[in-house]
Amino acid sequence: MRVLCVCLGNICRSPMAEGMIAARAREAGVALEVDSAGMGDWHAGDPPDPRAIAAASARGIDISRQRARRVRPEDFMAFDLILAMDRSNLAALERLRPVGATAVLRIADPEGREVPDPYVGGAQDFETVLDMLEVIAESVVGGG
Ligand code: 4NP
């Protein structure tokens, strides 16, 4: 299964989601291919936000080698599951979704909660995101 995590900038939430899901899948021995992308391209080519790298690292997850990119229409064929971090990302992805898309598109959280954007926040906001991503990763890895 191939999973794409999507947020707005691809430097905070979706890189942490990619790292968390990949780590939990590895630990569980589940074969998953995970990537992430953003709706915007302001940070294309950049590593994740230093606060995201630090918060993930504190949980044993190295996301420092990731590089941001914008989501592409072809992603709807290249991935089986596309996870939107919030409702705004979901709406934008629905507008981008091409005819013939094969990926399942849904909000990442299994209970439909939005993963809040920590970009203008502080360290605690990154912890809140990571706590939600633990649940999201469990639902993806456990659900296959
Ligand atoms: P993310 O956070 O969507 O979790 O990566 C953001 C990062 C950058 C911007 C917005 C959100 N930005 O506008 O540059």
Side-chain angles (χ1 to χ4, degrees), residues 8 18 29 36 44-47 49 64 67-68 75 78 91 96 100-101 121 127 133 136 139:
L8 185 55
E18 175 186 338
S36 66
D46 292 350
D49 186 289
S64 65
R67 294 297 177 266
D75 288 325
L96 184 71
E127 295 306 318
L133 291 175
I136 289 165
S139 80

Side-chain angles (χ1 to χ4, degrees), residues 1-140:
M1 174 147 109
R2 299 156 298 177
V3 182
L4 181 68
C5 306
V6 176
C7 64
L8 185 55
N10 194 210
I11 57 167
C12 295
R13 290 167 292 175
S14 62
M16 292 193 286
E18 175 186 338
M20 177 76 72
I21 292 171
R24 297 297 173 253
R26 208 173 314 114
E27 289 161 9
V30 172
L32 276 188
E33 227 178 84
V34 196
D35 193 9
S36 66
M39 297 312 309
D41 67 352
W42 317 286
H43 299 281
D46 292 350
D49 186 289
R51 298 166 296 173
I53 293 176
S57 174
R59 298 193 190 202
I61 298 167
D62 179 11
I63 63 169
S64 65
R65 286 184 297 274
Q66 295 185 28
R67 294 297 177 266
R69 71 169 177 91
R70 188 180 220 164
V71 69
R72 303 182 277 262
E74 307 88 87
D75 288 325
F76 285 86
M77 274 68 81
F79 291 89
D80 302 301
L81 177 63
I82 300 180
L83 298 173
M85 293 298 129
D86 63 31
R87 274 188 261 288
S88 165
N89 303 150
L90 183 65
L93 285 164
E94 280 165 352
R95 289 192 292 274
L96 184 71
R97 175 164 48 189
V99 172
T102 48
V104 170
L105 170 64
R106 66 167 173 85
I107 199 153
D109 185 84
E111 287 171 20
R113 292 169 299 190
E114 299 190 284
V115 180
D117 190 344
Y119 186 58
V120 294
Q124 183 53 48
D125 298 293
F126 285 79
E127 295 306 318
T128 300
V129 169
L130 283 168
D131 289 343
M132 290 191 74
L133 291 175
E134 295 277 10
V135 175
I136 289 165
E138 173 66 30
S139 80
V140 171

